[in-house]
């Protein structure tokens, strides 16, 4: 069992968990993830490792309640426990002194972009971050991102905070202003990453994305997470999760991620039927 | 209780020879495709004694030579014939730590039973079914005895992977007084025995019971521990382990590199079986992991995994399940017994056929498979005839699920962090065959990570050999 040491709600549907896992904490590097299974009946889901503390022996993950498993996780509190946590998995982000890095996070994608931005900053890069959400209340980690960024831009789709519009519009502006950009990291909804890559491809700006396909074991065994990258089949769990964004077949991945839509809905109905509406819905 | 003693000489020898091979009673095919319970029920005491009585108790038993772990077959069968079922199980466990598993999934027809003298002019003794009977009898009667464990030698061994190879290494080494910890990447022990082989062929409570026996003998387990990620091999030495055995299996599914392979509905056999066996997707939504249900399933391949997948699909899907294989029926690598079981369950076969592409709808969901007929080429230099597609013979069939079961590559996780372990071009760890030693001091390997896709018992044979050599290494410290 892995104990939850701290829980912090970041938005009505997003929560941060600090989990006791000293051995994983020792090995974690930016860009890696864990697989967790909540209970005996649970499925295995991947979550990005946002942070770790080797002194306290904890790892930090951030989860958005989008389905049954993340819904149950979201209802767990400090002192609660998770049955299985395995990691750190995936290849760490390649961090070096690139020069100026633009770090783009959309929605829950700000969670995985934070440790990468932080590592880039430590490696001496100038970090320009662009973070976006649908609305102000859904924006997470603004303060944390602020601390490690040389410049920060915030966007909301509905204009409730920061720039009214999309992260790509800010990126376009930076390009138009001839800001020096040596590398771009973009993590967020697939449609956002696709839009960023479409833009940066025109300007030949190297762009890395972190993918979130469906996974079962997370160690290379099943191939559920395969994505087409530069025309080749890659496993996001062992070859990724980060890839050159210009090579990723986003259309295919969007379709694959919808593959269990019916089953996901069924699981949610089952959960609501047995346990009533989730508490995060009541909190809103 | 019936025992062989009731049948006295001189009629005994001819009675033995006239006795036909006893079949295990089985679940009716129509019944069993509605559940995941085991297909054969196993011998009754009476049937086991009759079958055991068929053994000629050869002075120079060939069957033992066919067994990778050299089980003393005539001895345990003789005990069954005398009605000493529990003693028979103890005898088995002296050489084989996992008899109820081997009794079920070993390819006896290619090993012990192939060499059985009775097979020369008739049917060999049903050694596997007898092994299974004795082991089940003992487990159900809960009379397990434990070998005496010597005082701790002061040496510690780490085993990566809790599949058949790793379990054997661990069992053998604790019996010699070493401390053994098995590091398992998944949340349960057993490796392929848990995620790969379906419940109806190898019930998971049996795997759990065999592993529990090892735990009681003192083997320790660490789950959710991926070697190469959470610990490197060098970390294990730093943590005080004196030797490491790598038995992490062949776990990277091969795809065919044909169009449409990433449509929703196309699975690797590993994913399909892992969802159903390990994650119990057949009980969705009681269990959270789903598996797509469909009405028309195509399974590509001809090995045991392909057959396991097809029989699993038959239990989950409603209409037809077709196995497509590029060679002939005679070349199917799967066990005869499994092919027979699959056919009884309504699985269809298309031989000399291979997929060329998969076709999806506008949402990227699989709707059809395009297949092509194959024919065998002229023999090449090695004399082997290769299947080649017949031009223009492509045809399409409806399919909402395709399961690709054409083999596995080696998972590169350990090699990434231990480049000093020498691997072949395909990524298999290279070992000295007589000792299972790798190129790295103190590190041994065996099972599928060395062999590529092989069998449970061969992995156990490797484990046995490795354990002996690890013991020797720990005793005299010379590499």
């Amino acid at each position: 069992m892995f104990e939850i040491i701290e829980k912090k709600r970041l938005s009505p549907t997003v929560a941060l968990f600090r989990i006791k896992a000293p051995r994983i904490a020792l090995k974690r590097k930016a860009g890696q993830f864990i697989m967790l299974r909540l209970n005996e009946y649970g499925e295995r889901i991947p979550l990005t490792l946002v942070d770790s503390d080797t002194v306290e022996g904890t790892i930090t993950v951030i989860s958005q309640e989008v389905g049954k498993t993340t819904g149950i996780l979201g209802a767990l509190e400090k002192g609660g426990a998770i049955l299985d946590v395995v990691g750190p998995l995936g290849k760490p982000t390649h961090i070096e002194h690139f020069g100026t890095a633009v770090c783009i996070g959309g929605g829950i994608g700000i969670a995985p972009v934070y440790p990468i931005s932080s590592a880039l900053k430590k490696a001496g890069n100038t970090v320009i971050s662009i973070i976006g959400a649908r609305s102000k209340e859904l924006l997470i980690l603004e303060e944390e991102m602020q601390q490690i960024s040389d410049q920060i831009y915030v966007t909301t789709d509905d204009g409730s905070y920061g720039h009214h519009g999309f992260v790509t519009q800010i990126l376009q502006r930076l390009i138009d202003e001839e800001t020096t950009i040596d590398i771009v990291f973009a993590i967020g909804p697939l449609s956002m990453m696709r839009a960023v890559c479409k833009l940066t491809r025109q300007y030949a700006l190297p762009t890395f994305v972190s993918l979130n396909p469906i996974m079962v074991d997370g160690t290379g065994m099943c191939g559920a997470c395969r994505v087409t990258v530069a025309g080749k089949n890659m496993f996001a769990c062992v070859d990724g999760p980060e890839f050159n964004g210009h090579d990723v077949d986003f259309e295919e991945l969007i379709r694959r991620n919808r593959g269990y839509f019916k089953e996901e809905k069924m699981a949610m109905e089952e959960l609501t039927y047995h346990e009533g509406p989730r508490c995060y819905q009541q909190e809103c | 209780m019936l025992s062989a003693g009731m049948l006295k000489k001189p009629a005994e020898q001819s009675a033995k020879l006239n006795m036909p091979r006893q079949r295990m009673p089985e679940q009716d095919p129509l019944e069993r495709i509605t559940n995941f319970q085991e297909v054969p029920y196993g011998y009754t005491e009476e049937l086991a004694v009759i079958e055991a009585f068929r053994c000629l108790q050869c002075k120079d038993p060939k069957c033992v030579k066919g067994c990778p772990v050299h089980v003393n077959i005539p001895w345990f069968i003789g005990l069954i014939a005398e009605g000493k079922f529990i003693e028979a199980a103890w005898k088995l466990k002296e050489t084989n730590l996992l008899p109820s598993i081997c009794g079920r999934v070993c390819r006896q027809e290619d090993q012990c039973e192939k060499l059985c003298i009775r097979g020369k002019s008739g049917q060999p003794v049903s050694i596997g079914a007898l092994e299974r009977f004795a082991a089940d009898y003992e487990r159900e009667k809960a009379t397990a005895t434990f070998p005496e464990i010597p005082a701790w030698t002061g040496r510690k061994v780490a085993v990566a992977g809790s599949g058949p190879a790793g379990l054997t290494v661990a069992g053998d080494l604790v019996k010699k007084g070493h401390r053994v910890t098995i590091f398992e990447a998944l949340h349960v022990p057993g490796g392929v025995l848990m995620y790969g082989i379906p419940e109806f062929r190898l019930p998971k409570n049996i795997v759990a019971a065999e592993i529990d026996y090892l735990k009681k003998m003192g083997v320790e387990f660490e789950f959710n521990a991926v070697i190469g990620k959470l610990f490197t091999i060098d970390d294990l030495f730093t943590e005080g382990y004196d030797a490491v055995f790598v038995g992490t299996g062949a776990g990277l599914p091969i795809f065919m590199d044909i169009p449409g392979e990433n449509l929703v509905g196309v699975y690797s056999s590993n994913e399909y079986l892992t969802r159903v066996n390990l994650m119990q997707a057949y009980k969705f939504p009681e269990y959270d992991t789903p598996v797509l249900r469909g009405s028309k399933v195509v399974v590509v391949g001809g090995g045991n995994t392909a057959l396991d997948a097809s029989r699993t699909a038959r239990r989950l899907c409603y209409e037809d399940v077709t196995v497509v294989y590029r060679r002939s029926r005679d070349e199917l690598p799967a066990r005869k017994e499994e092919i027979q079981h699959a056919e009884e369950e309504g699985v269809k076969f298309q031989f000399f056929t291979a997929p060329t592409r998969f076709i999806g709808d506008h949402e990227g969901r699989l709707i059809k498979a395009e297949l092509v007929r194959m024919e065998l080429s002229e023999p090449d230099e090695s004399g082997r005839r290769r299947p080649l597609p017949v031009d223009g013979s492509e045809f399409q069939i409806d399919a909402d699920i395709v399961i690709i079961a054409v083999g596995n590559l080696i998972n590169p996780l350990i090699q990434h962090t231990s480049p000093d372990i020498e691997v072949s071009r395909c990524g298999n760890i290279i070992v000295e065959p007589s000792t299972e030693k790798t190129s790295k001091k103190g590190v041994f390997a065996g099972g599928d990570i060395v062999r590529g896709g092989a069998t449970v018992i061969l992995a156990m044979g490797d484990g046995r050999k490795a354990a002996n050599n690890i013991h020797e290494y720990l005793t005299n410290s010379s590499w």
Side-chain angles (χ1 to χ4, degrees), chain B residues 94-269:
Chain B
E94 283 176 13
T95 42
N96 183 351
L97 285 164
L98 311 168
S100 30
I101 294 170
C102 289
R104 287 172 165 83
V105 302
C106 262
R107 301 176 75 99
Q108 290 96 7
E109 64 275 24
D110 293 332
Q111 299 176 135
C112 53
E113 293 181 19
K114 188 180 182 181
L115 299 178
C116 173
I117 200 84
R118 294 220 46 181
K120 298 259 187 270
S121 57
Q123 290 279 313
V125 174
S126 197
I127 299 167
L130 287 170
E131 178 180 30
R132 167 189 163 146
F133 167 79
D136 284 359
Y137 186 92
E138 187 222 21
R139 191 184 62 253
E140 281 155 21
K141 295 278 183 286
T143 52
T145 57
F146 296 93
E148 211 165 299
I149 306 290
W152 185 33
T153 57
R155 296 306 191 106
K156 281 167 57 181
V157 180
V159 173
S162 67
L167 292 174
T168 306
V169 169
D172 281 6
L173 288 174
V174 289
K175 280 204 264 182
K176 294 197 159 92
H178 307 297
R179 281 203 185 141
V180 184
T181 305
I182 301 186
F183 295 88
E184 167 57 47
L186 291 172
H187 52 263
V188 290
V192 71
L193 306 169
M194 289 304 279
Y195 74 76
I197 303 175
E199 176 78 17
F200 55 82
R201 211 153 68 82
L202 179 64
K204 302 306 155 218
N205 64 345
I206 290 174
V207 180
E210 300 258 29
I211 289 168
D212 196 48
Y213 181 83
L214 290 177
K215 283 184 185 161
K216 287 183 179 144
M217 273 168 58
V219 177
E220 285 179 27
F221 287 83
E222 293 243 12
F223 301 114
N224 300 314
V226 184
I227 302 297
K229 288 290 179 189
L230 192 61
F231 302 106
T232 63
I233 302 272
D234 286 329
D235 289 340
L236 294 171
F237 287 119
T238 312
E239 290 216 355
Y241 290 95
D242 302 289
V244 176
F245 176 80
V246 181
T248 47
L252 208 68
I254 297 176
F255 288 90
M256 303 179 75
D257 205 14
I258 59 174
E261 226 167 7
N262 290 357
L263 289 167
V264 174
V266 181
Y267 285 107
S268 72
S269 50

Side-chain angles (χ1 to χ4, degrees), chain A residues 2 23-24 27 32 37 40-44 68-69 84-91 214 216-217 219-224 226 228 233 235 238 252 255-256 258-260 263 266-267 270, chain B residues 185-187 195 222 224-226 229-232 235 251-253 255 261-264 266-268 270-271 274-275 279 284-292 362-365 411 413 416:
Chain A
F2 295 79
R23 296 195 314 203
I24 300 174
K27 291 280 171 152
Q32 292 188 299
R37 190 174 74 124
E40 279 304 323
Y41 297 92
E43 60 180 340
R44 294 166 64 97
K68 181 175 177 183
T69 303
D84 295 296
V85 176
V86 54
L89 300 170
K91 287 187 180 162
I214 293 170
V216 182
D217 67 290
T219 62
M221 195 183 79
C222 82
R226 61 195 189 275
T228 303
N233 235 344
F235 290 2
V238 288
E252 178 187 272
R255 288 193 297 264
R256 283 185 67 75
R258 284 189 197 135
Y260 292 87
E263 288 76 10
M266 200 170 144
E270 175 85 1
Chain B
L186 291 172
H187 52 263
Y195 74 76
E222 293 243 12
N224 300 314
V226 184
K229 288 290 179 189
L230 192 61
F231 302 106
T232 63
D235 289 340
L252 208 68
F255 288 90
E261 226 167 7
N262 290 357
L263 289 167
V264 174
V266 181
Y267 285 107
S268 72
N270 278 6
E271 182 185 353
T274 300
R275 283 180 180 270
M279 305 311 294
F284 177 85
E286 182 195 355
Y287 281 75
D288 292 342
T289 305
V291 67
L292 295 174
H362 65 283
E363 290 182 322
R365 285 181 180 268
N411 194 322
L413 284 184
H416 279 164

